Amino acid sequence: MTRSSANDDPRFRKAVRKIIENTTVTVPDAMKCADFKSDEIKNKSLNQRIRRAAAAARGGQKPSSIVVDPSMMSFVSTVTATPPLKTKLKAKKVRYSSAAAQQMRKNKVVDKEKKKQATKYATQLYADSKMPGEKNLSAKKVQEIVEKKLGVSVSKRTINKHFAEGRVGTSPKKTGLEGNFDDETVLNLSNAMESYIQIQQLNGGSGDVTYKKLEEF
């Protein structure tokens, strides 16, 4: 195939157009899309002519120096993005002895109780400072005093929020949604559960009312 006939080949123009439309595509890939044969794709001279034609169509810029329009960045990133390499590193699961696990649970309970007491003390101290004749303390100052005395930090936001809601000297609220069952509903549920257990026991189904199985309810 002569150079002039190659340039007039519809596949040649299609490959050039493919490179112009997508700055990340390589010349061999563009030739594949244009239905060039394997031996033609390996032809370095033909590769070079397609590359030069695409560069000329872009205004003389080489493919590697093309400036991508910012509006096309999202499209380009989807083409060039590669998945992260898989790693053999895994987090090691630490197994504690029963004694260590028990101690950790106890420590959590102690820390939780200390946090409760610190919150109660902080909100009460802050509220007392607002009384007439008392030295007015900021939430930050109260936080510093509590941390120095009890070794527990209560955030300024918590102090201000408790004071604004009138929850002075009280423990922090439990996380999660508040329960919306009224007392009557709770009583009805308790009576129903009690009746269920009694019926099961009378019918010889004591094995179905163990603590473990009742937890499923």
Side-chain angles (χ1 to χ4, degrees):
M1 184 183 294
T2 62
R3 178 173 298 186
S4 59
S5 62
N7 293 353
D8 293 335
D9 189 339
R11 298 177 301 164
F12 184 93
R13 294 194 294 271
K14 184 177 179 181
V16 172
R17 186 167 60 252
K18 192 70 177 178
I19 296 173
I20 295 171
E21 291 174 351
N22 188 348
T23 59
T24 62
V25 72
T26 62
V27 174
D29 287 340
M31 293 177 72
K32 287 180 182 178
C33 294
D35 300 325
F36 276 94
K37 296 179 181 178
S38 298
D39 57 336
E40 292 175 317
I41 295 173
K42 296 177 182 178
N43 188 324
K44 295 183 178 180
S45 176
L46 184 56
N47 271 253
Q48 188 65 19
R49 290 202 299 274
I50 292 175
R51 185 179 291 106
R52 287 175 178 172
R58 293 193 183 103
Q61 290 180 303
K62 294 181 180 180
S64 59
S65 62
I66 296 298
V67 178
V68 182
D69 182 18
S71 63
M72 293 290 292
M73 287 304 294
S74 60
F75 169 76
V76 173
S77 63
T78 58
V79 176
T80 60
T82 55
L85 296 176
K86 291 184 178 180
T87 176
K88 294 182 179 179
L89 298 176
K90 292 184 178 180
K92 185 177 180 180
K93 185 179 289 186
V94 180
R95 296 184 180 276
Y96 298 99
S97 64
S98 58
Q102 180 67 15
Q103 188 59 51
M104 288 178 66
R105 286 192 290 269
K106 288 181 179 180
N107 291 343
K108 286 183 179 180
V109 173
V110 171
D111 291 341
K112 189 174 182 181
E113 185 61 30
K114 287 174 66 176
K115 187 71 173 181
K116 286 182 181 180
Q117 296 301 326
T119 303
K120 292 179 181 180
Y121 176 60
T123 53
Q124 190 63 60
L125 182 62
Y126 185 68
D128 291 343
S129 71
K130 304 300 179 185
M131 299 295 289
E134 298 291 336
K135 183 180 179 181
N136 189 14
L137 299 175
S138 65
K140 180 175 178 57
K141 186 63 178 177
V142 170
Q143 180 187 28
E144 293 173 354
I145 293 173
V146 173
E147 188 169 5
K148 185 176 181 180
K149 286 188 175 182
L150 303 180
V152 180
S153 178
V154 181
S155 69
K156 297 180 293 182
R157 183 178 179 182
T158 299
I159 296 172
N160 284 319
K161 185 178 181 181
H162 276 231
F163 180 75
E165 294 176 354
R167 294 190 291 116
V168 176
T170 61
S171 301
K173 282 185 177 180
K174 292 183 179 180
T175 57
L177 299 175
E178 293 184 1
N180 55 359
F181 289 110
D182 54 37
D183 294 340
E184 184 178 357
T185 302
V186 174
L187 180 60
N188 290 336
L189 288 172
S190 300
N191 291 336
M193 178 60 73
E194 185 179 355
S195 299
Y196 170 77
I197 293 172
Q198 290 175 351
I199 293 171
Q200 287 294 95
Q201 290 174 339
L202 290 172
N203 292 334
S206 299
D208 294 328
V209 290
T210 60
Y211 285 116
K212 188 172 182 179
K213 290 191 176 182
L214 289 176
E215 285 179 354
E216 299 175 0
F217 290 93

